[in-house]
Amino acid sequence: MKFDELDTQMRRYETANDRHVERGIYMVARIDGRSFTKLTKEKISFEAPFDVRFRELMAETTRHLMNCGFKVVYGYTESDEISLLFDLDIDAYGRKLRKYNSILAGEASAKFSLMLGELAAFDCRICELPDRKVVVDYFRWRNEDAHRNGLNAHCYWMLRKEGVAKGAAAAQIEGRTIEDKVALLASRGIDFHTLPSWQLRGTGFYWVDEEKRGYNPKEQLEVVSSKRVIKTDLYLPVGEAYGDFVRGILT
């Protein structure tokens, strides 16, 4: 069999399940850290329950992904996960899922590992969302998940630092209402409502126009130009206000 014939035959196997996302469907990439509990608790000594160094690693990884060849209109990160909303009309790589999943997982893993100086890996999957309402619901879901995780993390690590064993600390939190957990923190002098917003609601990333002033020596005039930059937002709105915020990005 000649090479051309062999190549054609093998390409059929390579692309047999090469599915692409139909136009008119919104795509959100969900990128999650793999085995990050072990990485952040055993290999690297990060402060618990939240560490600014880890937040900045995730933030820089998100900004990198928004600049690596895909038209991303909004990025969001909480804990060890990143969500990227693509422009509705994005056509990179023919909207092939295997390309988005493999490239974004690879880029995130490489960027994070280089910054950390330790091997770290991410996986990626594409969520296909039919309309704007579901896109808003998706990001509200992740925002509420950040709130739940942030509350649980503060309760758990408060107990652990008091000497409570892992299992016992988890048992004390399990099944409690939000009000009970807030009261548990308050009993130790911790006001949950004054904790940093990024710990409870995550961090958002979106494009804004930034004015840049310069000087034209030839014309001897001050010149003003504008360029698109990524804004990092550590103070995201809550509830319906966050929904309105995401709708604003979509429009």
Side-chain angles (χ1 to χ4, degrees):
M1 184 181 293
K2 295 180 180 179
F3 174 78
D4 288 346
E5 295 174 341
L6 181 63
D7 185 61
T8 300
Q9 178 180 316
M10 291 300 105
R11 292 290 180 186
R12 293 194 189 102
Y13 294 105
E14 182 184 44
T15 61
N17 296 303
D18 202 3
R19 197 171 73 80
H20 69 276
V21 179
E22 296 294 334
R23 293 185 179 278
I25 299 295
Y26 286 95
M27 290 190 287
V28 173
R30 172 82 175 275
I31 301 148
D32 282 302
R34 181 174 179 267
S35 301
F36 263 42
T37 298
K38 181 177 181 181
L39 175 69
T40 59
K41 298 298 183 292
E42 297 178 17
K43 289 188 176 182
I44 304 294
S45 179
F46 285 109
E47 183 181 348
F50 293 95
D51 192 308
V52 172
R53 295 175 300 158
F54 184 80
R55 182 197 72 189
E56 289 306 303
L57 287 169
M58 292 299 296
E60 186 57 33
T61 300
T62 305
R63 288 188 288 264
H64 171 73
L65 294 177
M66 293 176 72
N67 274 303
C68 74
F70 296 93
K71 192 173 182 181
V72 178
V73 297
Y74 182 55
Y76 174 80
T77 181
E78 58 116 340
S79 185
D80 65 346
E81 72 170 59
I82 296 168
S83 292
L84 303 175
L85 171 63
F86 300 104
D87 183 274
L88 178 61
D89 298 322
I90 189 172
D91 195 38
Y93 303 103
R95 299 169 69 91
K96 293 179 180 178
L97 287 176
R98 68 177 175 90
K99 282 290 189 179
Y100 285 69
N101 287 328
S102 59
I103 291 172
L104 290 168
E107 290 278 357
S109 301
K111 181 64 176 179
F112 195 96
S113 296
L114 285 172
M115 292 188 296
L116 183 63
E118 182 74 44
L119 181 63
F122 289 82
D123 62 51
C124 177
R125 56 197 177 279
I126 299 297
C127 301
E128 301 174 46
L129 309 178
D131 52 45
R132 290 184 178 184
K133 178 184 181 303
V134 183
V135 172
V136 172
D137 288 344
Y138 173 91
F139 283 100
R140 285 199 61 184
W141 170 48
R142 302 322 303 150
N143 187 262
E144 292 301 328
D145 183 72
H147 185 266
R148 182 194 64 178
N149 290 340
L151 178 55
N152 287 342
H154 274 285
C155 289
Y156 175 81
W157 284 104
M158 178 193 71
L159 295 170
R160 294 284 289 122
K161 289 174 181 179
E162 292 178 353
V164 180
K166 294 180 182 179
Q172 286 193 44
I173 299 169
E174 187 176 2
R176 288 199 178 200
T177 64
I178 291 176
E179 292 74 16
D180 287 341
K181 295 171 186 176
V182 171
L184 176 63
L185 292 174
S187 70
R188 308 306 203 277
I190 301 172
D191 184 354
F192 178 73
H193 301 291
T194 62
L195 293 172
S197 177
W198 64 269
Q199 296 181 8
L200 310 178
R201 292 293 173 181
T203 305
F205 305 84
Y206 45 93
W207 298 92
V208 296
D209 291 318
E210 183 179 84
E211 190 177 87
K212 185 178 181 181
R213 294 183 176 274
Y215 182 75
N216 185 331
K218 185 176 180 179
E219 301 293 335
Q220 296 187 346
L221 292 172
E222 183 183 50
V223 293
V224 179
S225 60
S226 179
K227 66 175 182 177
R228 297 285 280 172
V229 298
I230 296 173
K231 176 178 174 60
T232 301
D233 195 335
L234 299 174
Y235 304 94
L236 294 174
V238 177
E240 284 297 335
Y242 183 60
D244 292 339
F245 169 78
V246 176
R247 289 185 195 94
I249 289 173
L250 284 167
T251 57

